[in-house]
Amino acid sequence: MESNDLKKAGLKVTLPRVKILELLENSDTRHHTAEDIYKALLESGEEVGLATVYRVLTQFEAAALVTRHHFESGQAVFELNHGSHHDHLVCVKCGRVDEFYDETIEQQQKKIAKDKGYLITDHNLILYGTCSTCS
Amino acid sequence: MESNDLKKAGLKVTLPRVKILELLENSDTRHHTAEDIYKALLESGEEVGLATVYRVLTQFEAAALVTRHHFESGQAVFELNHGSHHDHLVCVKCGRVDEFYDETIEQQQKKIAKDKGYLITDHNLILYGTCSTCS
DNA sequence: ATGTATGCAAAACATTTGCACCTGG
DNA sequence: CCAGGTGCAAATGTTTTGCATACAT
């Protein structure tokens, strides 16, 4: 139940928050722009403002419920957190997004950071290409 | 000489283009926002419009003279291409940017793409953290 | 000369914010 | 009831575009 997740995150259970969380959980695509979500809610007859969508997503991000990605489109893309970390493969033709996790790369990143004197807080790896159905 | 690079790229040798290319080549920092460049040019007494800076940078990108990055700041960052590929370490406190290249990671990326049926055209790896002087 | 590049101002986006009203606990 | 959340409209910050003028070849 979504309202629980919200309460745990210290957020009041309000209609827009529940609706947005539902949409994120029930959609078959995992990556959404704020505008996508806004339009989807309008279409299903909900009364939300785009500003609220942004506000809610920002709160969700702060509560670690979602992650905000900056792909090369210029628009931010939001993704529901399902705990496990992963990176992305983006098809430049159809926009499809796949996910992967690779332990070797993770290890190597830690090593590099150490060599350069950095304390890693986060990282972001995106592979761009054409997927099997497009090429 | 910069004008040669411009001619080779099929671009007319104009003042703004030469100035911007010079700035990119002679600056000690490798990463610049459009606004950075615009202000720097104004300070050195050049008459350029911000719009021109954006246009020129976009052309340079098309000509593969520079690369446009989307770090998490929301502003695009431009970097002169010096042939060899590399990835980035960004300090979240002071904004410093370091570069690295790691063969193991490069190989592993190819393998992953192949497994997932993708034909890689490009990739983008950014490590975020705090650098030695900040932490 | 002539087509292309430029500067400026205005437009187009994505995102944020101020404020009066509404709502959940 | 009352703090906090919301919708709307206006503000913001970045990047793009239209157009008359200036420049490179």
Side-chain angles (χ1 to χ4, degrees):
Chain A
M1 198 183 212
E2 290 83 12
S3 46
N4 251 320
D5 298 331
L6 290 174
K7 273 187 205 140
K8 261 189 284 179
L11 296 169
K12 240 189 220 177
V13 180
T14 65
L15 218 97
R17 287 178 185 159
V18 173
K19 289 295 169 192
I20 292 173
L21 193 48
E22 265 179 25
L23 195 157
L24 289 172
E25 291 188 336
N26 301 332
S27 166
D28 37 297
T29 47
R30 303 197 29 74
H31 302 84
H32 310 262
T33 66
E35 189 119 27
D36 283 349
I37 295 173
Y38 172 64
K39 281 188 198 146
L41 290 180
L42 285 195
E43 273 169 33
S44 50
E46 301 298 333
E47 285 278 320
V48 264
L50 180 53
T52 301
V53 174
Y54 275 105
R55 273 187 289 235
V56 168
L57 287 172
T58 303
Q59 292 156 354
F60 283 7
E61 190 192 13
L65 284 173
V66 305
T67 306
R68 186 191 302 248
H69 297 288
H70 293 278
F71 297 157
E72 58 185 17
S73 61
Q75 262 165 103
V77 173
F78 297 84
E79 170 183 24
L80 196 62
N81 277 343
H82 48 52
S84 61
H85 162 74
H86 59 265
D87 292 304
H88 295 97
L89 268 155
V90 180
C91 178
V92 293
K93 285 200 184 158
C94 68
R96 173 178 155 189
V97 180
D98 275 297
E99 302 178 347
F100 69 90
Y101 176 82
D102 185 272
E103 189 55 34
T104 309
I105 290 183
E106 301 292 324
Q107 291 305 324
Q108 205 64 16
Q109 285 177 1
K110 280 184 201 152
K111 198 176 145 209
I112 291 160
K114 204 176 150 197
D115 287 355
K116 295 271 185 182
Y118 272 74
L119 245 107
I120 292 295
T121 55
D122 193 15
H123 74 101
N124 190 355
L125 169 56
I126 307 169
L127 305 181
Y128 296 100
T130 47
C131 72
S132 42
T133 36
C134 285
S135 57
Chain B
M1 197 181 214
E2 290 84 14
S3 47
N4 253 321
D5 298 332
L6 289 174
K7 274 188 202 138
K8 263 190 281 181
L11 296 169
K12 241 188 220 174
V13 180
T14 64
L15 216 97
R17 286 179 185 157
V18 173
K19 289 296 169 193
I20 291 173
L21 193 49
E22 265 179 27
L23 195 158
L24 289 172
E25 291 188 337
N26 301 332
S27 165
D28 37 295
T29 47
R30 302 197 29 75
H31 303 84
H32 310 263
T33 67
E35 189 118 28
D36 281 350
I37 295 173
Y38 172 62
K39 282 188 199 146
L41 290 180
L42 285 196
E43 272 168 34
S44 50
E46 300 298 331
E47 284 279 319
V48 265
L50 180 54
T52 302
V53 174
Y54 274 106
R55 274 188 289 236
V56 168
L57 287 171
T58 304
Q59 292 156 354
F60 282 7
E61 189 191 13
L65 285 173
V66 305
T67 306
R68 186 192 304 247
H69 298 287
H70 292 278
F71 296 156
E72 59 184 17
S73 62
Q75 262 165 102
V77 173
F78 297 85
E79 170 184 22
L80 196 62
N81 277 344
H82 49 54
S84 62
H85 161 74
H86 58 265
D87 292 303
H88 295 97
L89 269 156
V90 180
C91 177
V92 294
K93 285 202 186 156
C94 68
R96 173 178 155 188
V97 180
D98 276 295
E99 301 178 346
F100 68 90
Y101 175 83
D102 185 272
E103 189 55 34
T104 309
I105 291 183
E106 300 293 324
Q107 291 306 323
Q108 204 65 14
Q109 286 177 1
K110 280 184 198 150
K111 199 175 144 209
I112 291 160
K114 203 175 152 197
D115 288 356
K116 295 272 186 182
Y118 272 74
L119 246 107
I120 291 294
T121 55
D122 193 14
H123 74 100
N124 191 353
L125 169 56
I126 307 169
L127 305 182
Y128 295 100
T130 46
C131 71
S132 42
T133 35
C134 285
S135 57

